[in-house]
Amino acid sequence: MNEQSEPPGAEVETASGRAALPRGRFLRTLADDLLTIERDPLPRVSRPRWLAWLPHALVVYAAVFFAFLTTEQLGDHYGVTGGPPLVAALLTGASIALAMFRPMAGWWLGLLAGGLSAWLVHPGVGAGQTWPWTPGALIAFAPVLLLVALRVPPRVTVSAVGVPVALTAVAEVLWKPEHGQTTVLTALLLYGFVGLLGYALRATRLARGKLVEQETITEEERARRTLLEERSRIARELHDVVAHHMSVISIQAQVAPYLVENPSEELKENLAGIRGNALEALTELRRVLGVLRSEQPDDPANPHHPQPTLAELDGLVDNVRGAGLAVTTEIAGVRRPLAPGVELTAYRIVQEALSNCLRHAPGSRVEVGIAYGPRELHLCIANSAPTRPAPPSHGAGHGLLGMRERAGMLGGELAAGPRPGGGYEVSAVLPMDPETKKD
């Protein structure tokens, strides 16, 4: 035979293709899990908040109730009185309370309480009385098992259910009183059901936690993607602005020698250098940022579409009115042309704010205010409370990120939030001349 035997402790391959622990290592791991007394508090209820501590209150109530029940049953039904029944009752209640914080320690204490009760009542078990579990002890151990199953892996739950059932069977075989009734079948059914219930609740809690975690990650990824998309759109629009100015510089440098009588060779060389640098910068700009352009001919960022300015605000407002929204505009100050970047940013902020009103505040009244100051442009888009429910939105819901990004790019500020009387308001302050804006 050429077959080689597996070395002790080596991992074996299961039928599913996954590596399984050897039997010896599995038993050692299981023993470690059963013998651990690490702290593992019972989680609070997340919603509603006023019920957060309700499970803990119920566990404390169960601990006190079963402690009194144990004392009563040992004294009234089995005729055991004095100090030992009181100790058994205290151990029973303490095991339930301890399982809230250290589940396996509470489990061991519950087994000890059950064993002490069985030893105390053994001499006096009569006809029709159960052993080794008294009725109260049998039921009192169920909350302990439930608290264990809620917080330990399934393999530990199976062991936590199997050990007391196995000990019950062994005790009945070896030391069962003549007239005592068996409890092994009742223990198997009760503890098996409690174990399955705890496993199901634990699996539901873990699945809900993973779902919340995944939703948080998805929301963060969506926000990050939306921000990157908005930055890409801003880069495409800025490309048009910068490319326009670089083209103007190139043309002016080319025409300048003809506007001067008898220009010197040094002047011609400098102007030619300026034109060459402008053309080179324009080429590099198009090479680096050209990949950001959309290939769709209807995209507003397409070079064939001029970038919008505040001069087109009336058309934008008319379109929104046509969609069923009541919009009023008010312009204060001397209306004048601004830097291309400021015009574009102001238009996009108003456009996004009006789009949000259409999506989230149907039937509301919207006021658009634009104030031209000496050094800053003030924008304010405010809507009243909606008069009908908003339809479900399938968008990313992060238009404010793009507006803040645009305002911050120019050194401006943007604020947004609900209004005291209902509705929502977006306000922005943009510098007239971003180049001279100080940090």
Side-chain angles (χ1 to χ4, degrees), residues 369-435:
I370 301 177
Y372 290 82
R375 298 181 180 179
E376 295 176 326
L377 177 69
H378 296 261
L379 304 174
C380 181
I381 304 92
N383 65 273
S384 61
T387 58
R388 56 181 183 271
S393 175
H394 303 288
H398 295 284
L400 290 176
L401 287 176
M403 289 191 279
R404 287 195 176 97
E405 188 76 9
R406 290 178 179 274
M409 176 188 63
L410 299 177
E413 298 178 353
L414 185 137
R419 304 174 67 185
Y424 204 81
E425 180 176 327
V426 176
S427 59
V429 179
L430 305 178
M432 290 288 192
D433 190 358
E435 295 179 356

Side-chain angles (χ1 to χ4, degrees), residues 26-38 102-109 111 141 145 148-149 152-164 167:
F26 174 79
L27 293 177
R28 287 196 300 271
T29 303
L30 184 59
D32 292 340
D33 292 334
L34 290 176
L35 294 174
T36 183
I37 56 174
E38 292 182 356
R102 300 180 186 271
M104 296 313 302
W107 181 79
W108 283 109
L109 192 61
L111 285 180
F141 193 66
L145 272 180
V148 170
V152 299
R155 67 177 186 276
V156 183
T157 299
V158 173
S159 301
V161 171
V163 169
L167 292 177

Side-chain angles (χ1 to χ4, degrees), residues 223-361:
R224 187 179 297 109
R225 184 176 64 250
T226 303
L227 182 59
L228 291 177
E229 290 175 353
E230 186 64 22
R231 286 181 176 179
S232 176
R233 183 181 180 186
I234 294 172
R236 294 197 305 267
E237 294 174 345
L238 287 180
H239 172 270
D240 291 341
V241 175
V242 175
H244 168 74
H245 287 292
M246 295 302 295
S247 300
V248 172
I249 292 174
S250 174
I251 295 174
Q252 288 176 338
Q254 183 180 11
V255 175
Y258 300 98
L259 302 179
V260 180
E261 186 176 355
N262 299 323
S264 63
E265 293 297 327
E266 183 179 358
L267 176 60
K268 292 181 179 180
E269 291 178 0
N270 288 335
L271 292 174
I274 293 174
R275 182 174 185 273
N277 290 333
L279 292 176
E280 183 178 354
L282 185 59
T283 302
E284 291 297 327
L285 182 65
R286 286 173 176 169
R287 180 180 296 117
V288 174
L289 299 181
V291 295
L292 298 175
R293 288 201 175 279
S294 173
E295 296 180 357
Q296 300 176 3
D298 295 332
D299 196 311
N302 191 280
H304 298 292
H305 291 265
Q307 297 300 338
T309 65
L310 289 177
E312 304 176 32
L313 180 62
D314 293 338
L316 175 63
V317 171
D318 290 339
N319 290 335
V320 176
R321 287 171 179 161
L325 208 61
V327 183
T328 58
T329 60
E330 183 176 353
I331 299 178
V334 181
R335 191 169 186 174
R336 58 190 184 275
L338 307 175
V342 178
E343 290 270 5
L344 177 60
T345 298
Y347 181 89
R348 292 302 188 197
I349 289 176
V350 175
Q351 182 184 45
E352 182 62 31
L354 291 177
S355 298
N356 288 340
C357 293
L358 284 172
R359 287 194 296 265
H360 306 298

